[in-house]
Amino acid sequence: MKNDTKLIHLGRGEPGQEGTVNLPIHRASTIVYSNVASYLSRFDGERRYRAITYGANGTHNARALADAVSELEGGYGTVVTGTGLSAITMTLAALTRSGDHILVTDSVYGPTRKFCDTVLTRYRVETTYYPPAADISGLLRPNTKLVFTEAPGSLTFEMQDIPAITESVHAHGALVVMDNTWGTPLFFKPIEHGVDVSIQAGTKYIAGHSDLVIGMITADDEAIYRQLFDATRSFGDVAGPDDCYLALRGFRTLGVRLRQQQENALIVAQWLHDRDEVEQVLYPPLPSDPGHAIWQRDFAGAASVFGVTLKTADSSAIEAMVNHLGLFQIGSSWGGYESLVAVNKTPLERAHVHWDHVPLLLRLHVGLEDPGDLIADLEAGFERLNGKS
Ligand SMILES: Cc1ncc(COP(=O)(O)O)c(C=O)c1O
């Protein structure tokens, strides 16, 4: 099956049964059993990882979503978590122990960095941040347990050479974990490129409608899957059935939404690139982007979110531009059907390059609106910016 067919048919149960098209929502804390023997054996063998035993261990809706995502990712198994962030933190907690060292890209999602710098530090797991374009082979230590990648990275959208990273990390006997929320399992398949654990903030494109938070962790092999499954159960991290239902509904239209949003984003990004006010559009599908060659080699498409730096150093002019945008609402998420703009203060929290040559870094998320309308909105914004600066 091709991806588009998978999106429609995965996670729907056996074909040919009478019933609803969509798996109904199974709301549950308690699961009841017909006799003592079946109750006492509910965690035995494979049942531990498959059976529906209690709401906090996941419901039929979580199971269906996990199976669908796992198949699309080409993994051994997927664990569904309460948020995209908890998918990350659960993975880091499950796969490290006191005395370990990890390498994390310097362009990692901010709250991932915070988790490493606070919680992992307290548990004596040491983090080194590497520049996204670095050759990491010289940074691996005997106790390096894993490398955490994100490509392109948050806010600044630097690409990374994932096949090169997986090759040197595996030669060292360590694991590669990737936050692949930007690539989605449609436009980049981490496991095919050697990554051991692929993470999605399903909150973004999979859910796709800005109305829930959810995470997914897909492991390439059984042993890692079990470690992740057991850790999320021990921590009590779970996604509720309503959110799993909605995420699976979003999954059905992921392909058409992404392709249309990619097309719209490319039009808007190219237009911005040609504007005099713009210093740089940080978007790997643009030929001018430093990560373009890697993106073209490894990715089947692009998400519709990118960074923009402006030439002006006047932050009040930038605020005048952004405050009155009509279609780009100010908000910090992405991956929904609607356009958004996020404004980030510099210096960025980075170990290497702080991005402080501009006062504010913009992030645009392009939705399903007509790209001409979005450009008109931005054009009016530039008039305000120019009136102020
Ligand atoms: C790259 C990336 N990873 C993970 C997350 C976390 O997802 P959630 O908001 O569901 O916790 C986000 C959220 O913005 C993100 O941008």
Side-chain angles (χ1 to χ4, degrees), residues 84-86 88-89 92 102 104-121 127 129 148-150 152-158 179 181 201 204 332 334 344-345 347-351 361 363:
L85 178 59
S86 74
I88 294 164
T89 58
L92 290 171
I102 63 171
V104 176
T105 174
D106 204 22
S107 56
V108 78
Y109 173 57
T112 305
R113 178 182 215 105
K114 183 149 193 196
F115 179 79
C116 295
D117 292 347
T118 55
V119 180
L120 286 189
T121 304
T127 303
Y129 295 100
F148 191 100
T149 65
E150 195 186 311
S154 282
L155 304 184
T156 45
F157 298 90
E158 295 102 328
D179 179 341
T181 304
K204 314 296 180 194
S332 62
W334 47 287
N344 297 284
K345 272 197 198 146
L348 297 184
E349 205 185 330
R350 296 286 159 97
L361 185 63
R363 185 181 70 188

Side-chain angles (χ1 to χ4, degrees), residues 197-248:
V197 178
S198 168
I199 293 173
Q200 276 291 316
T203 309
K204 314 296 180 194
Y205 287 105
I206 291 180
H209 294 73
S210 305
D211 51 2
L212 65 103
V213 288
I214 199 162
M216 293 115 196
I217 319 168
T218 302
D220 180 27
D221 84 19
E222 182 176 356
I224 298 174
Y225 168 73
R226 290 184 173 206
Q227 247 177 298
L228 294 165
F229 183 98
D230 289 339
T232 52
R233 295 308 173 264
S234 296
F235 279 101
D237 183 20
V238 73
D242 294 78
D243 287 343
C244 291
Y245 179 94
L246 286 173
L248 200 47

Side-chain angles (χ1 to χ4, degrees), residues 37-49 51 53:
S38 63
Y39 179 72
L40 289 180
S41 62
R42 68 198 186 285
F43 294 122
D44 286 358
E46 271 313 294
R47 259 174 269 172
R48 175 174 189 78
Y49 298 99
T53 53

Side-chain angles (χ1 to χ4, degrees), residues 144-210:
T144 304
K145 191 63 168 289
L146 64 84
V147 175
F148 191 100
T149 65
E150 195 186 311
S154 282
L155 304 184
T156 45
F157 298 90
E158 295 102 328
M159 285 303 300
Q160 293 188 43
D161 190 339
I162 302 296
I165 290 175
T166 57
E167 201 182 319
S168 58
V169 174
H170 288 160
H172 190 79
L175 297 173
V176 179
V177 176
M178 178 171 187
D179 179 341
N180 186 43
T181 304
W182 193 93
T184 80
L186 283 189
F187 286 165
F188 185 71
K189 293 207 189 272
I191 288 170
E192 280 179 10
H193 287 86
V195 169
D196 301 282
V197 178
S198 168
I199 293 173
Q200 276 291 316
T203 309
K204 314 296 180 194
Y205 287 105
I206 291 180
H209 294 73
S210 305

Side-chain angles (χ1 to χ4, degrees), residues 72-92:
L72 190 65
E73 292 260 13
Y76 172 82
T78 295
V79 182
V80 175
T81 59
T83 66
L85 178 59
S86 74
I88 294 164
T89 58
M90 285 293 119
T91 303
L92 290 171

